[in-house]
Structures are given as structure tokens and as C-alpha cells.
Amino acid sequence: MDLVGLIGRRFARKAVNTENQEILALLKQASSSSGTDYKAIQTALNKTLDPEISATAQILTNQSGFDYLDSLTDTMGRPLLTVSLADPTQRLFKGRPITVLKDTILANDSSAFPFVVGSIADYIHFFEYAGVEVATSMEAGFIKNAVLFRCIERFGVTKADANALTYLKITPAAD
């Protein structure tokens, strides 16, 4: 059994989750607005964001928000979301890719669906200080007849361009 490999995979999963929590905390600090339908996303892309940011924008939402968008159709019964020709599993809104997070990671705000619209890469700078430090010690676990592992990751996230994205809360009107 590859114990070091198992620990490495578990550490990598935990590290990504920790990094994502820090990033989501900053995303929730973005300027926010609310709306009653998908047109709030359209307005954010057309008017709120700088045209250069809008051209490469992405949309981040949770499973409930995605389900809401995925169920919408136009007046001719065609789905509002389109399928990416490059990746048939990817859905697009006005040509912008949609990234979906679990509802438990990006929760609804009462009955409002969260939508982060813009460029996360321009909004946040992510940096690592010294990568990952891994150390083992047979001496530290001598009494328990064990080998101890220590993994330390040093990273930081900081807001770079506050105008690169907007945080929308959409509460659909009841039919």
C-alpha cells in the first residue's frame, strides 16, 4: 500500500478545499446587486462590467442556480443555455461558461440564487509563499511505533481589481 501517495492525495484535496474557501470568502465581498430573473446576469455582462472583462467573463453559481438557468427557455421553447461546441458537457450563457459548485459550498441566500459574474482571475490574486513543505519523522512517533507526517502549505489570496466581477442574488418571481 502506497501510504505516502494516499496521504498526498488527501492533503491535495484538503488544500484545494481550503484555498477555495478563502477565494469564496473574497468573492462574497464583491459589489453585489439583486434581481428577479436571468436578465440581471445579462445587465451585469452588458453594463456593470468593463467590456474587456465581460468579453472573457465566466459565471459561477451553485447547483440550484444552475438548475434555475438550465430550466429557462425562450419564447420558441429553446433552452436559454447553449452547449459548448468544444465541450458538450459545458453550458454557456451568452457565450460565457458556467461553473457549478455544490449547494453546500456556495449556499443560497434564503430563496436567492448566487451568481458570481466576471473574471475571478482579475478580481483575485492567488500566490504561494514556498509551495508545500512535507516532512516525516520516525523519532517523533517512537513511543507509538509510528512515523509522523507533516504537510504545510503557505498561500494567500488578495483582492486585485474590485471592478472585475459582481455578486448577484437572483430571487425568481413566483409563477
Side-chain angles (χ1 to χ4, degrees):
M1 176 182 214
D2 179 19
L3 185 59
V4 174
L6 178 70
I7 291 170
R9 286 189 298 277
R10 183 174 169 93
F11 176 78
R13 192 170 42 247
K14 296 274 188 187
V16 167
N17 288 339
T18 302
E19 293 165 2
N20 287 344
Q21 286 175 346
E22 295 287 325
I23 291 169
L24 282 173
L26 274 182
L27 292 179
K28 290 178 181 179
Q29 295 175 11
S31 62
S32 65
S33 60
S34 58
T36 57
D37 62 13
Y38 72 92
K39 292 179 182 175
I41 301 170
Q42 210 168 289
T43 300
L45 292 168
N46 294 340
K47 293 176 66 178
T48 306
L49 297 174
D50 181 288
E52 290 179 15
I53 297 289
S54 179
T56 60
Q58 62 184 19
I59 299 166
L60 180 72
T61 189
N62 63 8
Q63 292 167 296
S64 298
F66 179 76
D67 185 54
Y68 161 71
L69 282 181
D70 199 34
S71 66
L72 296 176
T73 56
D74 65 11
T75 55
M76 297 183 69
R78 296 176 298 199
L80 185 68
L81 299 182
T82 58
V83 176
S84 169
L85 297 176
D87 180 3
T89 64
Q90 176 71 60
R91 297 289 185 269
L92 307 173
F93 177 83
K94 302 285 184 185
R96 278 59 166 219
I98 300 172
T99 302
V100 182
L101 300 177
K102 291 192 297 187
D103 282 345
T104 55
I105 294 174
L106 183 61
N108 292 340
D109 183 12
S110 64
S111 61
F113 302 128
F115 290 91
V116 177
V117 181
S119 173
I120 295 172
D122 289 322
Y123 182 77
I124 291 176
H125 282 168
F126 178 89
F127 47 94
E128 290 186 272
Y129 293 111
V132 177
E133 176 188 317
V134 179
T136 61
S137 174
M138 295 174 65
E139 293 81 15
F142 179 76
I143 294 174
K144 295 184 179 184
N145 198 23
V147 176
L148 301 182
F149 287 86
R150 179 181 68 202
C151 298
I152 299 172
E153 179 187 29
R154 295 177 186 88
F155 73 94
V157 291
T158 184
K159 195 182 304 184
D161 182 0
N163 297 319
L165 61 81
T166 185
Y167 190 90
L168 301 174
K169 297 174 187 172
I170 297 179
T171 308
D175 291 331

